[in-house]
Amino acid sequence: QVQLVESGGGLVQAGGSLRLSCAASVRTVSTYAMGWFRQTPGKEREFVAVITWSSIITYYTDSVKGRFTISKDNAKNTVYLQMNSLKPEDTAVYYCAASRDRGTPFRIDDYGYWGQGTQVTVSS
């Protein structure tokens, strides 16, 4: 059973940085595509970033390109989301997810495993 646990969320001022971590069960990170999604109250969960199982490809939603970086450490079974130049509109609960897809999955239905989420709040 794949288990994912996010951490690193918090309150930060606009322009600041946070690094989210997602600790996964053994071998998940090295064999699954790993994604980050976010959700605000009343809105659908939206795709943020994905890294393929091989780490060769990363893909981002347009609103975070150039500001966010997804990476992973297979030895630590951990995926990261480095978030720089944060904006108030980045405020959301951020979720880590794992997918068996061998491409760059970006749809919610592509992912079979989810973490519990971590809150990120960016003040103006």
Side-chain angles (χ1 to χ4, degrees):
Q1 182 70 15
V2 174
Q3 294 183 328
L4 305 171
V5 179
E6 302 97 333
S7 62
L11 174 64
V12 64
Q13 288 187 333
S17 299
L18 281 175
R19 188 176 80 158
L20 304 183
S21 298
C22 173
S25 47
V26 176
R27 296 197 69 228
T28 299
V29 169
S30 62
T31 58
Y32 286 69
M34 301 299 298
W36 285 96
F37 289 74
R38 64 187 180 187
Q39 188 170 23
T40 55
K43 292 188 176 181
E44 291 188 355
R45 193 169 298 186
E46 66 170 357
F47 167 80
V48 176
V50 62
I51 185 167
T52 56
W53 68 274
S54 62
S55 300
I56 292 176
I57 298 174
T58 57
Y59 182 71
Y60 302 88
T61 191
D62 286 345
S63 62
V64 308
K65 284 180 181 177
R67 300 188 299 122
F68 290 12
T69 302
I70 187 171
S71 63
K72 64 187 178 113
D73 185 330
N74 290 343
K76 295 182 178 180
N77 297 305
T78 301
V79 181
Y80 304 98
L81 185 68
Q82 178 67 44
M83 306 186 295
N84 298 328
S85 302
L86 282 162
K87 304 175 181 180
E89 50 263 44
D90 294 318
T91 295
V93 176
Y94 282 72
Y95 296 90
C96 174
S99 169
R100 296 179 181 270
D101 195 305
R102 300 313 259 183
T104 52
F106 59 90
R107 301 175 304 173
I108 292 174
D109 290 346
D110 292 331
Y111 290 81
Y113 306 97
W114 294 85
Q116 83 290 348
T118 185
Q119 175 70 47
V120 171
T121 303
V122 184
S123 63
S124 58

